[in-house]
Amino acid sequence: MLNIQPSAPEPIYRQILEQLRRLIAAGQFAEGERLPSVREVAVTHAVNPMTVSRAYSLAEAEGLLERLRGKGMVVAAQSARTRSQSERLALLELPLQALSRQVQELELPAELVLRRLGKLLGE
Amino acid sequence: MSESNCAPLVAQGLWHTYEEHSALRGVDFTVEAGSVLGLIGRNGAGKSTLIRALLGLLVPSSGCALVLGEPALRLTDRIKERIAYVPQQPEAFPWLTATQMFAFVGRFFPRWDDAFVRATLSRWDVPTGRPLAKLSPGERQRVELIRALACRPDVLVLDEPAAALDPVARRDLLREVALRAGEDGCTVLFSTHIVSDLERVASQIALLHAGRLLLHCALDDTKERYARLWLPPRHAAAAPDAALSRRAHSDGSLTLVVGRGARGDWPPAVQLDGARLDALGLEDLFVEIAA
């Protein structure tokens, strides 16, 4: 479910945190749903358990996750769908910045890119 | 004894010279317990010399090393049984087969994990019936990696382990290293020039270049605290002095690796008209600094 790219310029803990934010905001994780344990994520992706643990702790501090005794990390009650539109837009900040960098590098007019994006969004 | 002296691995002012050539030029660092230190550097940067000096396998020209609080050159058996080291070209026990070697060596390690040996031998496709001298260098190194992990050491030192492994075995090794460190508190020093392997498991990175440590920090910091700054020719004179590397291009433009200041701010030059700041992966950072 998580997509980890070790060689990306984003640290792995940040990739996990961003994905948790997006998946929870999109409702792909239900309230109370159990997340894979730190060990499971570490084994699946061959990454350091401390990195996974760091991402989970940050998500817990943000109120996205809750630590339940005997159950591990679960999606916190009311964490997701109560987010405002501007909060959900803020989750796109990093991909949008990366996109705008690439548009500048390719020296493409913004209008052309926006038109294409509109099409992708089904406008 | 102070706390830093009890750290699993400590280098204090290590210098080493082979004939005319200085392989180490004053290396100081401490590897904290439970961390995975990725030692990167180009071929000939001094990685293997540093590892051998850290473990007391060579007498440095000056400086000293400590392993689990003891001077590396005078380790007691009590400390030695807590350390495992895999050199780039293992040569021990050439007359024994892998099975014989494991049976012999296992007796000296109180935490020897025989189940791990049996499971990994078949998974990593290691011939067990031939003398070690008759194995290929890759097979020989796989045998040594299994031996090192089976000791369940507190300090695990691997010199370029990845070259001998196919992608499946390599992933197994990285997983094992990550779990040993993250769950059992094993301290790992892992040298390589394949930086993508380190990005999965390392918590710390040390970059050795021409015998000097140019960078030693948390892996996440390499990505969050450093970036590549390109300045157009008209602003080249405004380049910050405190850059980690600086490369001038034929058109007069400049590429630098810059770091954030104490308050997390980038140097003012990033705001100049036409300047470009790009995030850096570890490999990019390595190439920019060590090229």
Side-chain angles (χ1 to χ4, degrees), chain A residues 6-14 39 42-50 54 101 105, chain B residues 34 36 171 174-175 178-179 182-183 196 199-201 220 223-224 276-281:
Chain A
S7 300
E10 284 268 281
I12 293 173
Y13 85 90
R14 205 145 258 296
R39 182 171 225 276
V43 167
T44 306
H45 297 279
V47 296
N48 198 313
M50 302 216 258
R54 183 177 182 192
R101 232 179 5 245
E105 277 169 17
Chain B
V36 180
R171 190 58 73 86
L174 294 177
R175 192 178 289 124
L179 290 180
E183 294 186 339
S196 57
E199 290 182 301
R200 288 186 181 278
V201 299
D220 293 340
K223 296 184 169 184
E224 294 187 320
R276 216 176 65 201
L277 191 68
D278 287 317
L280 276 173

Side-chain angles (χ1 to χ4, degrees), chain B residues 3 5 7 55 80 93 147 162 210 212 221 258 280:
Chain B
E3 199 161 285
N5 284 348
L55 295 176
K80 280 184 191 163
F93 308 113
R147 177 194 56 75
R212 287 197 180 89
D221 282 353
V258 293
L280 276 173

Side-chain angles (χ1 to χ4, degrees), chain B residues 42-72:
Chain B
R42 300 183 66 178
N43 290 328
K47 301 189 292 294
S48 296
T49 306
L50 175 57
I51 285 176
R52 292 173 57 77
L54 272 173
L55 295 176
L57 299 170
L58 70 77
V59 182
S61 308
S62 67
C64 71
L66 300 171
V67 183
L68 295 162
E70 285 191 356

Side-chain angles (χ1 to χ4, degrees), chain B residues 248-269:
Chain B
H249 304 286
S250 55
D251 64 355
S253 65
L254 209 55
T255 297
L256 310 136
V257 172
V258 293
R260 292 181 191 267
R263 286 195 304 272
D265 45 338
W266 294 111

